[in-house]
């Protein structure tokens, strides 16, 4: 008996992939999503059924925010049982943030959710959009012999590589290879054959139904350290009204200045029940507090480690955990534990 064709839902949020050039001004703006499918008649050749849904007002992903993440999560929630896989077209600028956020919001995910986009609009002669879109749909359609999805996680596909979404960072504004995942190997590579690296795929932990978390708390701040950072700058950030947590992007393996004012400010914030997270500003490797004297003090005063998480994953995980209003102690434990494969 013939297997039924996989049903794929294509969700268009905006971004370069579906944009056209204004002939007069030369600037890019979003166009009617129906035109996207007309641009790629090849989609009809794929052995799956594709349905589409688009944001009412497609956006440049620089305008993405937690409300949009909830909108995407709800589209998936409402159509979860009717589809075998989801492909989300998204601007590349903040795609790693959205993919990371969705990975935390979609608990017990047992189907593929693949983010993709393009550096050049779909109508451009030299576009990378077609390959990215077609292969993403193929990956979202993959089933094993038991007809269950091969991919059970939120991924990002770009320029021949499939990555775990919450491990990615946009590293290039010019090259077609715009993303990288320095702390986790790619999940699949598209060449003459589509090679799946099964050993790195997320393994389902249970058969619980999908649980969609929609509460995100963005009363947080991100501070990137630099030589010469001033006390008044950090103090101003830490005094921001309603602030719940701060991610400090430190040097190397989690190092920072040992000047007294810096440690005193952090200590004071912790006694005021603010969470302080140490994340490295390096794109590869992670935080090892205590490896150097300059990070040992942070450990002693109760700073939380982002380990080898990307800043994108750290920010969205923090919003997700704060949104779940868990106790301070549990937040530290949960933050330092891998929930969706975001930490080694
Ligand atoms: N500015 C665009 C966006 O992120 C760039 C892109 O689509 O790649 O929406």
């Amino acid at each position: 008996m013939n297997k039924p064709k996989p049903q794929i839902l294509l969700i268009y949020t905006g971004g370069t992939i579906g944009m056209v050039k204004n002939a007069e001004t030369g600037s890019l703006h979003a166009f009617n999503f129906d035109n996207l499918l007309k641009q790629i008649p090849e989609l009809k050749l794929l052995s799956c059924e594709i349905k589409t849904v688009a944001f009412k007002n497609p956006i440049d992903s620089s305008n993405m925010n937690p409300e949009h993440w909830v909108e995407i999560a709800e589209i998936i929630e409402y159509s979860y049982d009717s589809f075998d896989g989801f492909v989300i077209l998204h601007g590349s600028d903040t795609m790693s943030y959205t993919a990371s956020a969705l990975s935390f919001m979609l608990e017990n995910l047992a189907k593929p959710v693949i983010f993709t986009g393009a550096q050049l609009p779909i109508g451009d002669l030299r576009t990378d959009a077609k390959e990215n879109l077609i292969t993403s749909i193929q990956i979202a359609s993959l089933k094993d012999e038991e007809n269950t999805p091969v991919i059970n996680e939120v991924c990002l596909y770009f320029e021949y590589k499939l990555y775990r979404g919450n491990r990615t960072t946009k590293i290039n504004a010019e090259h077609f290879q715009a993303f990288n995942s320095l702390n986790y190997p790619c999940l699949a590579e598209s060449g003459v054959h589509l090679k799946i690296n099964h050993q790195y795929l997320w393994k389902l932990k249970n058969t619980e139904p999908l649980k969609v978390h929609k509460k995100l708390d963005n009363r947080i701040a991100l501070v990137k350290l630099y030589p010469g950072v001033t006390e008044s700058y950090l103090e101003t950030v830490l005094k921001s009204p309603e602030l719940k947590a701060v991610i400090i992007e430190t040097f190397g393996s989690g190092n920072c200045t040992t000047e007294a004012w810096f440690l005193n400010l952090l200590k004071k914030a912790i006694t005021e029940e603010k969470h302080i997270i140490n994340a490295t500003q390096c794109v590869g490797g992670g935080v090892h507090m205590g490896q150097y004297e300059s990070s040992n003090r942070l450990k002693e005063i109760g700073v939380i480690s982002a380990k080898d998480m990307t800043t994108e994953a750290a920010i969205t995980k923090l919003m997700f955990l704060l949104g779940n209003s868990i106790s301070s102690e549990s937040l530290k434990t949960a933050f330092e534990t891998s929930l969706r494969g975001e930490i080694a």
Side-chain angles (χ1 to χ4, degrees):
M1 211 177 84
N2 280 347
K3 279 189 192 162
K5 280 186 174 182
Q7 303 288 317
I8 303 299
L9 184 64
L10 199 56
I11 304 167
Y12 179 58
T13 67
T16 299
I17 191 161
M19 286 187 170
V20 280
K21 232 181 207 159
N22 179 309
E24 272 142 47
T25 63
S27 64
L28 292 170
H29 61 93
F31 77 124
N32 186 337
F33 180 65
D34 295 339
N35 291 345
L36 185 74
L37 293 178
K38 277 190 205 131
Q39 296 281 348
I40 317 183
E42 295 94 325
L43 288 177
K44 297 195 191 91
L45 301 174
L46 291 171
S47 50
C48 59
E49 302 280 349
I50 304 167
K51 297 258 168 15
T52 59
V53 53
F55 270 15
K56 200 158 163 257
N57 298 308
I59 54 167
D60 183 292
S61 77
S62 326
N63 283 321
M64 264 293 156
N65 61 39
E67 283 87 62
H68 294 118
W69 298 340
V70 172
E71 195 176 338
I72 299 171
E74 285 182 338
I75 294 175
I76 294 174
E77 180 179 29
Y78 297 142
S79 44
Y80 193 68
D81 293 334
S82 317
F83 290 89
D84 299 288
F86 303 85
V87 173
I88 303 171
L89 303 183
H90 191 291
S92 63
D93 288 348
T94 62
M95 197 189 293
S96 292
Y97 290 89
T98 306
S100 299
L102 266 289
S103 77
F104 299 116
M105 294 165 79
L106 304 175
E107 190 176 348
N108 305 323
L109 183 67
K111 295 183 178 184
V113 172
I114 317 289
F115 278 84
T116 196
Q119 291 282 64
L120 284 176
I122 199 102
D124 193 291
L125 263 185
R126 297 174 52 251
T127 189
D128 53 333
K130 287 192 182 185
E131 201 286 320
N132 286 348
L133 176 58
I134 289 170
T135 308
S136 294
I137 294 173
Q138 282 183 324
I139 290 171
S141 310
L142 291 174
K143 297 280 192 91
D144 63 16
E145 299 81 51
E146 273 105 51
N147 206 31
T148 54
V150 170
I151 313 274
N152 303 296
E153 58 182 305
V154 177
C155 299
L156 188 154
Y157 182 81
F158 222 88
E159 189 65 2
Y160 305 111
K161 288 203 171 124
L162 181 75
Y163 304 103
R164 174 163 298 158
N166 59 30
R167 289 295 198 151
T168 61
T169 298
K170 183 169 180 183
I171 45 117
N172 205 304
E174 169 73 22
H175 293 168
F176 285 140
Q177 195 189 335
F179 290 87
N180 215 332
S181 162
L182 283 178
N183 285 340
Y184 199 74
C186 73
L187 306 179
E189 263 174 284
S190 166
V192 173
H193 298 105
L194 188 57
K195 183 172 169 277
I196 309 290
N197 298 323
H198 289 271
Q199 70 276 33
Y200 300 127
L201 298 179
W202 179 254
K203 307 282 177 302
L204 275 186
K205 300 258 189 299
N206 56 50
T207 51
E208 297 288 309
L210 177 75
K211 186 167 176 200
V212 182
H213 298 268
K214 299 178 194 174
K215 284 199 188 125
L216 299 160
D217 189 338
N218 62 356
R219 288 174 291 176
I220 66 168
L222 173 68
V223 173
K224 182 170 184 158
L225 289 190
Y226 50 90
V229 64
T230 62
E231 182 174 1
S232 61
Y233 167 58
L234 187 61
E235 195 175 15
T236 309
V237 174
L238 291 171
K239 272 199 203 140
S240 324
E242 298 195 341
L243 187 79
K244 294 264 186 153
V246 182
I247 296 173
I248 312 272
E249 270 199 357
T250 54
F251 308 117
S253 53
N255 305 315
C256 58
T257 172
T258 49
E259 284 179 70
W261 66 262
F262 180 77
L263 291 163
N264 288 341
L265 278 180
L266 295 190
K267 219 172 14 190
K268 182 164 173 282
I270 291 169
T271 52
E272 290 165 357
E273 306 215 324
K274 290 174 182 138
H275 304 280
I276 306 291
I277 320 285
N278 182 356
T280 176
Q281 48 188 260
C282 295
V283 284
V287 167
H288 298 280
M289 282 197 283
Q291 188 175 342
Y292 291 91
E293 199 202 326
S294 52
S295 66
N296 207 19
R297 292 286 292 126
L298 296 181
K299 195 176 174 183
E300 283 167 10
I301 64 172
V303 169
I304 301 169
S305 175
K307 301 187 178 179
D308 68 341
M309 255 187 270
T310 60
T311 298
E312 292 87 335
I315 287 175
T316 53
K317 185 173 184 178
L318 194 52
M319 289 187 191
F320 162 72
L321 292 176
L322 289 171
N324 278 288
S325 347
I326 54 176
S327 71
S328 274
E329 221 8 76
S330 319
L331 187 135
K332 178 171 164 50
T333 310
F335 197 87
E336 293 181 344
T337 307
S338 168
L339 302 180
R340 312 280 190 267
E342 72 283 5
I343 297 183

